């Protein structure tokens, strides 16, 4: 076999191995479970602040007669 033929066969073999590996993702890379980036206390605090500030704004607008 010539050198170019050996290189071509090596490339074909590498390509064929790559084709058979496609789509097989290991189970460890997929996320499982309910891991939130923020804790429940911080999430509750944010919700409290947003809802509280909107209620405060509604009350303030209602008491000032619609002119903020």
């Amino acid at each position: 076999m010539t050198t170019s033929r050996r290189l071509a066969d090596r490339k074909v073999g590498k390509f064929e191995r790559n084709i058979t590996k496609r789509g097989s993702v290991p189970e460890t890379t997929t996320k499982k479970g309910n891991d939130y980036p923020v804790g429940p206390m911080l999430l509750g605090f944010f919700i409290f602040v947003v809802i509280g500030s909107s209620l405060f704004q509604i009350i303030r607008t209602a008491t000032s007669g619609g002119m903020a």
Side-chain angles (χ1 to χ4, degrees):
M1 258 191 193
T2 62
T3 307
S4 61
R5 182 68 185 159
R6 273 185 285 165
L7 289 175
D9 287 342
R10 190 181 306 163
K11 282 184 179 182
V12 168
K14 190 175 182 182
F15 179 76
E16 291 295 328
R17 283 193 307 273
N18 190 24
I19 292 294
T20 59
K21 287 183 192 176
R22 285 187 186 172
S24 60
V25 178
E27 290 292 325
T28 57
T29 59
T30 58
K31 275 192 165 185
K32 291 186 178 180
N34 293 332
D35 293 334
Y36 297 112
V38 294
M41 293 295 288
L42 188 62
L43 187 63
F45 176 72
F46 284 145
I47 291 172
F48 171 76
V49 168
V50 169
I51 291 176
S53 65
S54 64
L55 285 176
F56 181 73
Q57 185 68 31
I58 290 169
I59 293 169
R60 186 172 145 204
T61 305
T63 57
S64 68
M67 298 295 224

